[in-house]
Amino acid sequence: RRGHTCSSGEADANRKQCGSECAQTAAEVPSRVLEPGGGSKLRQGAIERWYETRFAPFLVSGRGARSTSLWLVLVLGGVALVMGASALGLHTSTRDVQVWPAWHNVRHFLKLRDEKFELENVRVAILWGVDEVDRTGVDPFDEDDLGTLLYRRDFD
């Protein structure tokens, strides 16, 4: 039958009527169109047709291969510059992101917490080559007396 597609259930019942056309699986049916001669071809969308007829021939054509490469580098480089410039403007939020609906208790809690308490920014220092902290003779109740920092002698 012309332009006929069968589901896998119809394939067994109609095998005599359709011949080998109904031998395809149900997963193949949406992506294939049967042609009058018994063959089939892939159903292509607008993007696939554009790639097949315009973009791929443009890339692989022998004419102007150097200009094609230059064009692609310039366009993709421009896109990368725009995206990089946009990324430079990103910063961390001083408030929580509100994903809860306005009526939810968690949102009320987070809103009160953000309004009443300042979120802290903490600075962290990483030290390389530290062996240990000598805490001999340190008063455990004096928070300013941390001990003596010992460095590794073999650290370069």
Side-chain angles (χ1 to χ4, degrees), residues 35-57:
E35 293 186 333
S40 65
K41 69 175 186 173
L42 289 176
R43 182 180 301 156
Q44 292 182 331
I47 294 174
E48 288 92 354
R49 284 193 305 272
W50 181 78
Y51 269 98
E52 183 178 353
T53 60
R54 305 272 187 214
F55 190 68

Side-chain angles (χ1 to χ4, degrees), residues 79-129:
V79 169
L81 284 174
V82 168
M83 293 175 77
S86 297
L88 289 174
L90 296 176
H91 57 84
T92 57
S93 176
T94 57
R95 300 196 175 273
D96 286 332
V97 176
Q98 294 295 333
V99 294
W100 301 98
W103 53 265
H104 203 280
N105 286 336
V106 173
R107 182 161 182 171
H108 291 298
F109 166 75
L110 293 173
K111 182 180 176 188
L112 287 173
R113 186 195 67 184
D114 289 346
E115 289 174 356
K116 303 293 181 192
F117 302 99
E118 179 94 18
L119 294 177
E120 292 183 26
N121 291 328
V122 178
R123 178 169 279 181
V124 177
I126 299 175
L127 301 174
W128 301 98

